[in-house]
Amino acid sequence: QKEVEQNSGPLSVPEGAIASLNCTYSDRGSQSFFWYRQYSGKSPELIMFIYSNGDKEDGRFTAQLNKASQYVSLLIRDSQPSDSATYLCAVNSYKLVFGAGTILRVKS
Amino acid sequence: ETGVTQTPRHLVMGMTNKKSLKCEQHLGHNAMYWYKQSAKKPLELMFVYNFKEQTENNSVPSRFSPECPNSSHLFLHLHTLQPEDSALYLCASSQGAGAGDIVSYNEQFFGPGTRLTVL
């Protein structure tokens, strides 16, 4: 079983829609969770982190964490073509473990 | 310079060459990391340094040799690499952790990466 699993996509959404990106993890001891955005040919850029169960909102982004279900998600409201990228979920217990990423395509 | 910088941005080397990658962070952090990113694979953590001390070596082959002379600089020395070592090598930094704390709890900031090609 992979430590951090993400659907590779691509996830295609129309401009203005809500994009929902999901991530599951295997280590119940994981304490912190991160979402990174990576444009093609660029390095990952941190966009959200969450430590506690529930929702955390930052602008158009909402991170959701459910430790009981070992599930973390990222919602992007009012999706824009500039949001098209690979989104990496990273989970922290003893070390930071990345998922393989979900490709998001926002179509105008 | 701001953030995390890496040089060179691109490197082509033969299997018998010796080269070094350099990373510098301007964020006042005390932890630094090397990652390898191969096509369509998750980021792989290679090495972790916390306050200049190596705290993690993820079973990386000895042809990769890290060096951390101070909290702002990190090097990756390369020798006798293989073609399968071709990848994007990313440096990251974060706040350091005290003794007994887990350094990687803190959010990490990445440099632009070095695209390495081994012929």
Side-chain angles (χ1 to χ4, degrees):
Chain A
Q1 182 188 5
K2 293 180 183 176
E3 293 183 71
V4 178
E5 292 209 45
Q6 295 182 256
N7 188 321
S8 62
L11 172 66
S12 292
V13 300
E15 184 176 357
I18 295 175
S20 178
L21 304 162
N22 305 315
C23 174
T24 58
Y25 59 95
S26 60
D27 185 353
R28 284 196 170 275
S30 300
Q31 296 291 328
S32 51
F33 308 84
F34 304 87
W35 282 100
Y36 286 83
R37 177 177 62 202
Q38 187 173 24
Y39 292 113
S40 181
K42 302 293 185 182
S43 60
E45 172 193 10
L46 180 67
I47 53 173
M48 289 285 289
F49 60 89
I50 186 167
Y51 299 146
S52 303
N53 274 330
D55 294 359
K56 179 182 179 183
E57 187 174 317
D58 183 1
R60 295 187 297 113
F61 299 98
T62 299
Q64 298 176 318
L65 174 61
N66 184 325
K67 289 187 179 180
S69 300
Q70 296 174 241
Y71 176 94
V72 59
S73 65
L74 179 70
L75 301 178
I76 306 175
R77 290 182 299 282
D78 189 24
S79 296
Q80 302 297 310
S82 58
D83 294 326
S84 298
T86 298
Y87 288 80
L88 306 176
C89 171
V91 174
N92 226 336
S93 52
Y94 170 66
K95 62 182 181 182
L96 193 63
V97 179
F98 284 82
T102 298
I103 297 171
L104 174 66
R105 293 183 181 152
V106 181
K107 298 182 177 180
S108 56
Chain B
E1 294 276 17
T2 58
V4 182
T5 58
Q6 289 185 242
T7 55
R9 296 293 308 277
H10 301 272
L11 178 62
V12 179
M13 58 187 289
M15 289 191 285
T16 58
N17 291 158
K18 289 184 180 181
K19 296 286 184 183
S20 295
L21 309 185
K22 178 183 176 182
C23 175
E24 184 173 359
Q25 60 92 5
H26 309 269
L27 299 169
H29 291 161
N30 288 298
M32 297 187 77
Y33 312 77
W34 279 118
Y35 287 88
K36 176 184 178 182
Q37 188 174 37
S38 304
K40 298 186 179 180
K41 286 187 177 180
L43 276 166
E44 299 172 52
L45 179 64
M46 300 175 73
F47 301 105
V48 180
Y49 279 83
N50 185 38
F51 288 91
K52 302 188 297 178
E53 298 297 320
Q54 187 179 121
T55 60
E56 183 135 0
N57 176 338
N58 253 9
S59 302
V60 179
S62 59
R63 57 186 183 270
F64 295 92
S65 174
E67 178 190 0
C68 188
N70 55 61
S71 293
S72 298
H73 294 86
L74 185 65
F75 295 89
L76 188 62
H77 304 298
L78 317 171
H79 64 97
T80 59
L81 294 191
Q82 304 298 311
E84 59 265 28
D85 296 323
S86 299
L88 180 67
Y89 288 84
L90 291 160
C91 173
S93 71
S94 72
Q95 292 292 339
D101 294 337
I102 299 176
V103 63
S104 56
Y105 278 179
N106 298 308
E107 50 267 40
Q108 298 176 19
F109 297 88
F110 285 85
T114 295
R115 174 67 64 185
L116 174 66
T117 302
V118 182
L119 301 176

Coordinates of all heavy atoms in Angstrom, one line a residue, chain B residues 17-103:
Chain B
N17 N 32.1 11.7 -14.5 CA 32.4 13.0 -14.0 C 32.1 13.1 -12.5 O 31.4 12.3 -11.9 CB 31.5 14.0 -14.7 CG 31.8 14.2 -16.2 OD1 31.0 14.6 -17.0 ND2 33.1 13.9 -16.5
K18 N 32.7 14.2 -11.9 CA 32.3 14.6 -10.6 C 31.8 16.0 -10.7 O 32.4 16.9 -11.2 CB 33.5 14.6 -9.7 CG 34.1 13.2 -9.3 CD 35.2 13.3 -8.3 CE 35.7 11.9 -8.0 NZ 36.9 12.0 -7.0
K19 N 30.6 16.2 -10.1 CA 30.0 17.6 -10.1 C 29.4 17.8 -8.7 O 29.1 16.8 -8.0 CB 29.0 17.7 -11.2 CG 29.5 17.6 -12.6 CD 30.3 18.8 -13.0 CE 30.8 18.7 -14.4 NZ 31.6 19.9 -14.8
S20 N 29.0 19.0 -8.4 CA 28.3 19.4 -7.2 C 27.1 20.3 -7.5 O 27.2 21.2 -8.3 CB 29.3 20.1 -6.2 OG 30.3 19.2 -5.8
L21 N 26.1 20.0 -6.8 CA 24.9 20.9 -6.8 C 24.9 21.8 -5.5 O 25.3 21.3 -4.5 CB 23.6 20.1 -6.8 CG 23.5 19.0 -7.9 CD1 22.1 18.4 -7.8 CD2 23.8 19.5 -9.2
K22 N 24.5 23.0 -5.7 CA 24.6 23.9 -4.6 C 23.2 24.5 -4.3 O 22.4 24.7 -5.2 CB 25.5 25.1 -4.9 CG 25.6 26.1 -3.8 CD 26.5 27.3 -4.2 CE 26.5 28.4 -3.1 NZ 27.3 29.6 -3.5
C23 N 22.9 24.6 -3.0 CA 21.6 25.2 -2.6 C 21.9 26.2 -1.5 O 22.8 26.0 -0.6 CB 20.7 24.1 -2.0 SG 19.2 24.7 -1.3
E24 N 21.2 27.3 -1.5 CA 21.3 28.4 -0.5 C 20.0 28.9 -0.2 O 19.1 29.1 -1.0 CB 22.2 29.5 -1.0 CG 22.5 30.6 0.0 CD 23.5 31.6 -0.5 OE1 24.0 31.5 -1.6 OE2 23.8 32.6 0.3
Q25 N 19.7 29.0 1.1 CA 18.4 29.5 1.6 C 18.6 30.8 2.3 O 19.6 31.0 3.1 CB 17.6 28.5 2.4 CG 18.3 28.0 3.7 CD 17.9 28.8 4.9 OE1 17.1 29.7 4.8 NE2 18.5 28.5 6.0
H26 N 17.7 31.8 2.0 CA 17.8 33.1 2.6 C 16.6 33.4 3.5 O 16.1 34.5 3.6 CB 17.8 34.1 1.4 CG 18.8 33.8 0.4 ND1 20.1 34.3 0.4 CD2 18.8 33.0 -0.7 CE1 20.8 33.9 -0.6 NE2 20.0 33.1 -1.3
L27 N 16.1 32.3 4.1 CA 14.8 32.4 4.9 C 15.1 32.3 6.4 O 14.1 32.3 7.2 CB 13.9 31.3 4.5 CG 13.4 31.4 3.0 CD1 12.7 30.1 2.6 CD2 12.6 32.6 2.7
G28 N 16.3 32.2 6.8 CA 16.6 32.1 8.2 C 16.3 30.7 8.8 O 16.1 30.6 10.0
H29 N 16.1 29.7 7.9 CA 15.7 28.4 8.4 C 17.0 27.6 8.9 O 18.1 28.0 8.6 CB 15.1 27.6 7.2 CG 13.7 28.1 6.8 ND1 13.2 27.8 5.6 CD2 12.8 28.9 7.5 CE1 12.0 28.4 5.6 NE2 11.8 29.0 6.7
N30 N 16.7 26.5 9.6 CA 17.8 25.7 10.1 C 17.8 24.3 9.6 O 18.6 23.5 10.0 CB 17.8 25.8 11.6 CG 18.2 27.1 12.1 OD1 19.4 27.5 11.9 ND2 17.4 27.8 12.8
A31 N 16.8 23.9 8.8 CA 16.7 22.6 8.3 C 16.7 22.7 6.8 O 16.1 23.5 6.2 CB 15.4 21.9 8.8
M32 N 17.4 21.8 6.1 CA 17.5 21.7 4.7 C 17.4 20.3 4.2 O 17.8 19.4 4.9 CB 18.8 22.4 4.2 CG 18.9 23.9 4.6 SD 20.4 24.7 3.9 CE 19.8 24.9 2.2
Y33 N 16.9 20.2 3.0 CA 16.6 18.8 2.5 C 17.0 18.7 1.0 O 17.0 19.7 0.3 CB 15.1 18.6 2.5 CG 14.4 19.0 3.8 CD1 14.1 20.3 4.1 CD2 14.0 18.0 4.6 CE1 13.5 20.7 5.3 CE2 13.3 18.3 5.8 CZ 13.1 19.7 6.1 OH 12.5 20.0 7.3
W34 N 17.4 17.5 0.6 CA 17.5 17.2 -0.8 C 16.4 16.2 -1.2 O 16.2 15.2 -0.5 CB 18.9 16.6 -1.1 CG 20.0 17.5 -1.3 CD1 21.1 17.6 -0.5 CD2 20.2 18.5 -2.3 NE1 21.9 18.6 -1.0 CE2 21.4 19.2 -2.1 CE3 19.4 18.9 -3.4 CZ2 21.8 20.2 -2.9 CZ3 19.8 20.0 -4.2 CH2 21.1 20.6 -3.9
Y35 N 15.8 16.5 -2.3 CA 14.8 15.6 -2.9 C 15.2 15.2 -4.4 O 15.8 16.0 -5.1 CB 13.4 16.2 -3.0 CG 12.7 16.4 -1.7 CD1 12.9 17.5 -0.9 CD2 11.8 15.4 -1.2 CE1 12.2 17.6 0.3 CE2 11.1 15.5 0.0 CZ 11.3 16.6 0.8 OH 10.6 16.8 2.0
K36 N 14.7 14.1 -4.8 CA 14.8 13.7 -6.2 C 13.4 13.5 -6.8 O 12.6 12.9 -6.1 CB 15.6 12.3 -6.3 CG 15.7 11.8 -7.7 CD 16.3 10.4 -7.7 CE 16.4 9.8 -9.1 NZ 16.9 8.5 -9.1
Q37 N 13.2 14.1 -7.9 CA 11.9 14.0 -8.6 C 12.1 13.4 -10.0 O 12.7 14.1 -10.9 CB 11.2 15.3 -8.7 CG 9.7 15.2 -9.2 CD 8.9 16.5 -9.1 OE1 9.5 17.5 -9.4 NE2 7.7 16.3 -8.8
S38 N 11.7 12.2 -10.2 CA 11.8 11.6 -11.5 C 10.4 11.7 -12.1 O 9.4 11.8 -11.5 CB 12.2 10.1 -11.4 OG 13.4 10.0 -10.7
A39 N 10.4 11.5 -13.4 CA 9.2 11.7 -14.2 C 8.1 10.7 -13.7 O 8.4 9.5 -13.5 CB 9.4 11.4 -15.7
K40 N 6.9 11.2 -13.4 CA 5.7 10.4 -13.0 C 6.0 9.6 -11.7 O 5.3 8.6 -11.5 CB 5.3 9.5 -14.2 CG 4.9 10.3 -15.4 CD 4.3 9.4 -16.5 CE 3.9 10.3 -17.7 NZ 3.3 9.5 -18.8
K41 N 6.9 10.1 -10.9 CA 7.1 9.4 -9.6 C 7.0 10.4 -8.5 O 7.2 11.6 -8.7 CB 8.5 8.8 -9.5 CG 8.7 7.6 -10.3 CD 10.1 7.0 -10.0 CE 10.3 5.7 -10.7 NZ 11.7 5.1 -10.4
P42 N 6.6 10.0 -7.3 CA 6.5 11.0 -6.2 C 7.9 11.5 -5.9 O 8.9 10.9 -6.1 CB 6.0 10.1 -5.0 CG 5.4 8.9 -5.6 CD 6.2 8.7 -6.9
L43 N 7.9 12.7 -5.3 CA 9.2 13.2 -4.7 C 9.8 12.3 -3.8 O 9.1 11.7 -2.9 CB 8.9 14.6 -4.0 CG 8.8 15.8 -4.8 CD1 8.2 16.9 -4.0 CD2 10.2 16.2 -5.3
E44 N 11.1 12.0 -3.9 CA 11.8 11.1 -3.0 C 12.7 11.9 -2.1 O 13.6 12.6 -2.6 CB 12.6 10.1 -3.8 CG 11.8 9.3 -4.7 CD 12.8 8.4 -5.6 OE1 13.7 7.8 -5.1 OE2 12.6 8.5 -6.9
L45 N 12.5 11.8 -0.8 CA 13.4 12.5 0.1 C 14.7 11.7 0.1 O 14.8 10.5 0.3 CB 12.8 12.5 1.5 CG 13.6 13.1 2.6 CD1 13.8 14.6 2.4 CD2 13.0 12.9 4.0
M46 N 15.8 12.5 0.0 CA 17.2 11.9 0.0 C 17.9 12.1 1.3 O 18.3 11.2 2.0 CB 18.0 12.5 -1.1 CG 17.4 12.2 -2.5 SD 18.4 13.1 -3.8 CE 19.8 12.1 -3.9
F47 N 18.0 13.4 1.7 CA 18.8 13.7 2.9 C 18.1 14.9 3.7 O 17.4 15.7 3.1 CB 20.2 14.2 2.5 CG 21.0 13.2 1.8 CD1 21.2 13.4 0.4 CD2 21.6 12.1 2.4 CE1 22.0 12.4 -0.3 CE2 22.3 11.2 1.7 CZ 22.5 11.4 0.4
V48 N 18.2 14.8 5.0 CA 17.7 15.9 5.8 C 18.9 16.4 6.7 O 19.6 15.6 7.3 CB 16.5 15.4 6.7 CG1 16.0 16.6 7.6 CG2 15.4 14.9 5.8
Y49 N 19.0 17.7 6.9 CA 19.9 18.3 7.8 C 19.2 19.2 8.7 O 18.3 20.0 8.2 CB 21.0 19.1 7.1 CG 22.1 18.2 6.5 CD1 22.0 17.6 5.3 CD2 23.3 18.0 7.3 CE1 23.0 16.8 4.8 CE2 24.3 17.3 6.8 CZ 24.2 16.6 5.6 OH 25.2 15.8 5.1
N50 N 19.4 19.1 10.0 CA 18.8 20.0 11.0 C 19.9 20.6 11.8 O 20.7 19.9 12.4 CB 17.9 19.2 11.9 CG 17.1 20.1 12.9 OD1 16.7 21.2 12.5 ND2 16.9 19.6 14.1
F51 N 20.0 21.9 11.7 CA 21.2 22.6 12.4 C 22.5 22.0 12.0 O 23.3 21.7 12.9 CB 21.0 22.6 13.9 CG 19.9 23.5 14.4 CD1 18.6 23.0 14.5 CD2 20.1 24.8 14.7 CE1 17.5 23.8 14.9 CE2 19.1 25.7 15.1 CZ 17.8 25.2 15.2
K52 N 22.7 21.8 10.7 CA 23.9 21.3 10.1 C 24.2 19.8 10.4 O 25.2 19.3 9.9 CB 25.1 22.1 10.6 CG 25.1 23.6 10.3 CD 26.4 24.2 10.6 CE 26.8 24.1 12.1 NZ 28.1 24.7 12.4
E53 N 23.3 19.2 11.2 CA 23.6 17.7 11.4 C 22.6 16.9 10.5 O 21.4 17.2 10.4 CB 23.3 17.4 12.9 CG 24.2 18.1 13.9 CD 25.6 17.7 13.7 OE1 25.9 16.5 13.5 OE2 26.5 18.6 13.8
Q54 N 23.2 15.9 9.9 CA 22.4 15.0 9.1 C 21.5 14.2 10.0 O 22.0 13.4 10.8 CB 23.2 14.1 8.2 CG 22.4 13.3 7.2 CD 23.3 12.5 6.3 OE1 23.1 11.2 6.2 NE2 24.2 13.1 5.6
T55 N 20.2 14.3 9.7 CA 19.2 13.5 10.5 C 18.6 12.4 9.8 O 17.9 11.6 10.3 CB 18.2 14.4 11.1 OG1 17.5 15.1 10.1 CG2 18.8 15.5 12.0
E56 N 18.7 12.4 8.5 CA 18.1 11.4 7.7 C 18.9 11.1 6.4 O 19.3 12.1 5.7 CB 16.7 11.8 7.3 CG 15.9 10.7 6.5 CD 14.5 10.5 7.0 OE1 14.1 11.1 8.0 OE2 13.8 9.6 6.4
N57 N 19.1 9.9 6.1 CA 19.6 9.4 4.9 C 18.8 8.3 4.4 O 18.8 7.2 5.0 CB 21.1 8.9 5.1 CG 21.7 8.4 3.8 OD1 21.0 7.9 2.9 ND2 23.0 8.3 3.7
N58 N 18.0 8.5 3.3 CA 17.0 7.6 2.9 C 17.5 6.5 2.0 O 17.1 6.4 0.9 CB 15.8 8.3 2.2 CG 14.6 8.4 3.1 OD1 14.6 8.0 4.3 ND2 13.5 8.9 2.5
S59 N 18.5 5.8 2.5 CA 19.1 4.7 1.7 C 19.6 5.1 0.4 O 19.3 4.5 -0.7 CB 18.1 3.5 1.6 OG 17.7 3.0 2.8
V60 N 20.2 6.3 0.4 CA 20.7 6.9 -0.9 C 22.0 6.3 -1.3 O 22.9 6.1 -0.4 CB 20.8 8.4 -0.8 CG1 21.3 9.0 -2.1 CG2 19.5 9.0 -0.4
P61 N 22.2 5.9 -2.5 CA 23.6 5.3 -2.9 C 24.7 6.3 -2.6 O 24.5 7.5 -2.6 CB 23.4 5.1 -4.4 CG 21.9 5.0 -4.7 CD 21.3 5.9 -3.6
S62 N 25.8 5.7 -2.3 CA 27.0 6.5 -1.9 C 27.6 7.4 -3.0 O 28.4 8.3 -2.7 CB 28.1 5.6 -1.4 OG 28.5 4.7 -2.4
R63 N 27.1 7.2 -4.2 CA 27.5 8.1 -5.3 C 26.9 9.5 -5.1 O 27.3 10.4 -5.8 CB 27.2 7.5 -6.7 CG 25.7 7.2 -6.9 CD 25.6 6.5 -8.3 NE 24.2 6.3 -8.6 CZ 23.6 5.2 -8.3 NH1 24.2 4.2 -7.6 NH2 22.3 5.0 -8.6
F64 N 26.0 9.7 -4.2 CA 25.5 11.0 -3.8 C 26.0 11.3 -2.4 O 25.8 10.5 -1.5 CB 23.9 10.9 -3.8 CG 23.3 10.7 -5.1 CD1 22.9 9.4 -5.5 CD2 23.0 11.8 -5.9 CE1 22.3 9.2 -6.7 CE2 22.4 11.6 -7.2 CZ 22.1 10.3 -7.6
S65 N 26.7 12.4 -2.3 CA 27.3 12.7 -1.0 C 26.9 14.1 -0.6 O 27.3 15.1 -1.2 CB 28.8 12.6 -1.1 OG 29.4 13.1 0.1
P66 N 26.1 14.3 0.5 CA 25.7 15.6 0.9 C 26.7 16.3 1.8 O 27.5 15.7 2.4 CB 24.4 15.4 1.6 CG 24.6 14.0 2.3 CD 25.5 13.3 1.3
E67 N 26.6 17.6 1.8 CA 27.5 18.4 2.7 C 26.7 19.6 3.1 O 26.1 20.3 2.3 CB 28.8 18.9 2.0 CG 29.7 19.7 2.8 CD 30.9 20.3 2.0 OE1 30.9 20.1 0.8 OE2 31.6 21.1 2.6
C68 N 26.7 19.9 4.4 CA 26.0 21.1 4.9 C 27.0 21.9 5.8 O 27.0 21.6 7.0 CB 24.8 20.6 5.7 SG 23.7 22.0 6.2
P69 N 27.7 22.8 5.3 CA 28.7 23.6 6.1 C 28.1 24.5 7.1 O 28.7 24.8 8.1 CB 29.5 24.3 5.0 CG 28.6 24.4 3.8 CD 27.7 23.2 3.9
N70 N 26.9 25.0 6.8 CA 26.2 25.9 7.7 C 24.7 25.8 7.4 O 24.3 25.1 6.4 CB 26.7 27.3 7.7 CG 26.6 27.9 6.3 OD1 25.6 28.0 5.7 ND2 27.8 28.2 5.7
S71 N 23.9 26.4 8.2 CA 22.4 26.3 8.1 C 21.9 26.9 6.8 O 20.7 26.7 6.4 CB 21.7 26.9 9.3 OG 22.0 26.2 10.4
S72 N 22.7 27.7 6.1 CA 22.2 28.4 4.9 C 22.6 27.7 3.6 O 22.1 28.0 2.6 CB 22.7 29.8 4.9 OG 22.2 30.6 6.0
H73 N 23.6 26.8 3.7 CA 24.1 26.2 2.5 C 24.1 24.7 2.5 O 24.3 24.1 3.6 CB 25.6 26.6 2.3 CG 25.7 28.1 2.0 ND1 25.8 29.0 3.0 CD2 25.8 28.7 0.8 CE1 25.9 30.2 2.4 NE2 25.9 30.1 1.1
L74 N 23.7 24.1 1.4 CA 23.7 22.6 1.3 C 24.2 22.3 -0.1 O 23.9 22.9 -1.1 CB 22.2 22.2 1.4 CG 22.0 20.7 1.4 CD1 22.6 20.0 2.7 CD2 20.5 20.4 1.4
F75 N 25.1 21.2 -0.1 CA 25.6 20.8 -1.3 C 25.3 19.3 -1.6 O 25.0 18.6 -0.6 CB 27.2 20.9 -1.3 CG 27.7 22.3 -1.2 CD1 27.9 22.9 0.0 CD2 27.9 23.0 -2.4 CE1 28.3 24.2 0.1 CE2 28.4 24.3 -2.3 CZ 28.6 24.9 -1.1
L76 N 25.2 18.9 -2.8 CA 25.1 17.5 -3.2 C 26.2 17.2 -4.1 O 26.2 17.6 -5.3 CB 23.7 17.2 -3.8 CG 23.4 15.7 -4.0 CD1 23.4 15.0 -2.7 CD2 22.1 15.6 -4.7
H77 N 27.2 16.4 -3.7 CA 28.3 16.0 -4.5 C 28.0 14.7 -5.2 O 27.5 13.8 -4.7 CB 29.6 15.8 -3.6 CG 29.9 17.0 -2.8 ND1 30.2 18.3 -3.4 CD2 30.0 17.2 -1.5 CE1 30.5 19.1 -2.4 NE2 30.3 18.5 -1.3
L78 N 28.3 14.7 -6.5 CA 27.9 13.7 -7.4 C 29.1 13.0 -8.0 O 30.0 13.7 -8.5 CB 27.0 14.2 -8.5 CG 25.9 15.2 -8.2 CD1 25.2 15.8 -9.4 CD2 24.9 14.5 -7.3
H79 N 29.2 11.7 -8.1 CA 30.3 11.0 -8.7 C 29.9 9.7 -9.2 O 29.1 9.0 -8.5 CB 31.5 11.0 -7.8 CG 31.3 10.1 -6.6 ND1 31.7 8.8 -6.5 CD2 30.8 10.4 -5.4 CE1 31.4 8.3 -5.3 NE2 30.9 9.3 -4.6
T80 N 30.4 9.3 -10.4 CA 30.1 8.0 -11.0 C 28.6 7.7 -11.0 O 28.1 6.7 -10.6 CB 30.9 6.8 -10.4 OG1 30.5 6.7 -9.0 CG2 32.3 7.0 -10.6
L81 N 27.8 8.7 -11.5 CA 26.4 8.5 -11.6 C 26.0 7.6 -12.7 O 26.8 7.3 -13.6 CB 25.7 9.9 -11.7 CG 25.8 10.9 -10.6 CD1 24.8 12.0 -10.8 CD2 25.5 10.2 -9.2
Q82 N 24.7 7.1 -12.7 CA 24.2 6.3 -13.7 C 23.1 7.0 -14.4 O 22.5 8.0 -13.9 CB 23.6 5.0 -13.0 CG 24.5 4.3 -12.1 CD 25.7 3.7 -12.9 OE1 25.5 3.1 -14.0 NE2 26.9 4.0 -12.4
P83 N 22.8 6.6 -15.7 CA 21.7 7.3 -16.4 C 20.4 7.4 -15.7 O 19.7 8.3 -15.8 CB 21.6 6.4 -17.7 CG 23.0 5.9 -17.9 CD 23.5 5.6 -16.5
E84 N 20.1 6.4 -14.8 CA 18.8 6.4 -14.1 C 18.8 7.4 -13.0 O 17.8 7.7 -12.4 CB 18.5 5.0 -13.5 CG 19.5 4.5 -12.5 CD 20.5 3.5 -13.2 OE1 20.8 3.7 -14.4 OE2 21.1 2.6 -12.5
D85 N 20.0 8.1 -12.8 CA 20.0 9.2 -11.8 C 19.5 10.5 -12.4 O 19.4 11.5 -11.7 CB 21.4 9.3 -11.2 CG 21.9 8.1 -10.4 OD1 21.0 7.5 -9.7 OD2 23.1 7.8 -10.6
S86 N 19.3 10.5 -13.7 CA 18.8 11.7 -14.3 C 17.4 12.0 -13.8 O 16.5 11.2 -13.7 CB 18.7 11.5 -15.9 OG 19.9 11.2 -16.4
A87 N 17.3 13.3 -13.3 CA 16.1 13.7 -12.6 C 16.1 15.2 -12.3 O 17.2 15.8 -12.6 CB 15.8 12.9 -11.3
L88 N 15.1 15.7 -11.7 CA 15.1 17.0 -11.1 C 15.5 16.9 -9.7 O 14.8 16.1 -8.9 CB 13.7 17.7 -11.3 CG 13.6 19.1 -10.7 CD1 14.4 20.1 -11.5 CD2 12.1 19.5 -10.7
Y89 N 16.5 17.6 -9.2 CA 17.0 17.5 -7.8 C 16.6 18.8 -7.2 O 16.9 19.9 -7.6 CB 18.5 17.3 -7.8 CG 18.8 15.8 -8.1 CD1 18.9 15.5 -9.5 CD2 18.9 14.9 -7.1 CE1 19.2 14.1 -9.8 CE2 19.1 13.5 -7.5 CZ 19.2 13.2 -8.8 OH 19.5 11.9 -9.2
L90 N 15.8 18.7 -6.2 CA 15.2 19.8 -5.5 C 15.7 20.0 -4.1 O 15.9 19.0 -3.3 CB 13.7 19.7 -5.4 CG 12.9 19.8 -6.7 CD1 11.5 19.1 -6.6 CD2 12.8 21.2 -7.1
C91 N 16.1 21.2 -3.7 CA 16.5 21.5 -2.4 C 15.3 22.2 -1.7 O 14.5 22.9 -2.3 CB 17.7 22.4 -2.4 SG 18.2 23.1 -0.8
A92 N 15.1 22.0 -0.4 CA 14.1 22.7 0.3 C 14.6 23.1 1.7 O 15.6 22.5 2.2 CB 12.9 21.8 0.5
S93 N 13.9 24.0 2.3 CA 14.3 24.4 3.7 C 13.1 24.6 4.5 O 12.0 24.8 4.0 CB 15.2 25.7 3.7 OG 14.4 26.8 3.4
S94 N 13.3 24.5 5.8 CA 12.2 24.8 6.8 C 12.8 25.2 8.1 O 14.0 25.2 8.3 CB 11.3 23.5 7.0 OG 12.0 22.5 7.8
Q95 N 11.9 25.6 9.0 CA 12.3 26.0 10.4 C 13.0 24.7 11.0 O 12.5 23.6 10.8 CB 11.2 26.4 11.2 CG 10.5 27.7 10.8 CD 11.4 28.9 11.1 OE1 12.4 28.8 11.9 NE2 11.2 30.0 10.4
G96 N 14.0 24.9 11.7 CA 14.7 23.8 12.4 C 13.8 23.3 13.5 O 12.9 24.0 14.0
A97 N 14.2 22.2 14.0 CA 13.5 21.6 15.2 C 14.5 21.4 16.3 O 15.7 21.1 16.1 CB 12.8 20.3 14.8
G98 N 14.0 21.5 17.5 CA 14.9 21.2 18.7 C 15.1 19.8 18.9 O 14.5 18.9 18.2
A99 N 16.0 19.4 19.8 CA 16.3 18.0 20.0 C 15.0 17.3 20.4 O 14.2 17.7 21.3 CB 17.3 17.9 21.2
G100 N 14.8 16.1 19.8 CA 13.6 15.4 20.1 C 12.4 15.7 19.3 O 11.4 15.0 19.2
D101 N 12.5 16.9 18.6 CA 11.3 17.3 17.8 C 11.6 16.7 16.4 O 12.7 16.5 16.0 CB 11.2 18.8 17.7 CG 10.8 19.4 19.0 OD1 10.2 18.7 19.9 OD2 11.1 20.6 19.3
I102 N 10.5 16.6 15.7 CA 10.6 16.1 14.3 C 10.7 17.2 13.3 O 9.7 18.0 13.2 CB 9.4 15.2 14.0 CG1 9.4 14.0 14.9 CG2 9.5 14.7 12.5 CD1 8.2 13.0 14.8
V103 N 11.8 17.4 12.7 CA 12.0 18.6 11.9 C 11.0 18.7 10.8 O 10.6 19.8 10.4 CB 13.5 18.6 11.4 CG1 13.7 17.4 10.4 CG2 13.8 19.9 10.6

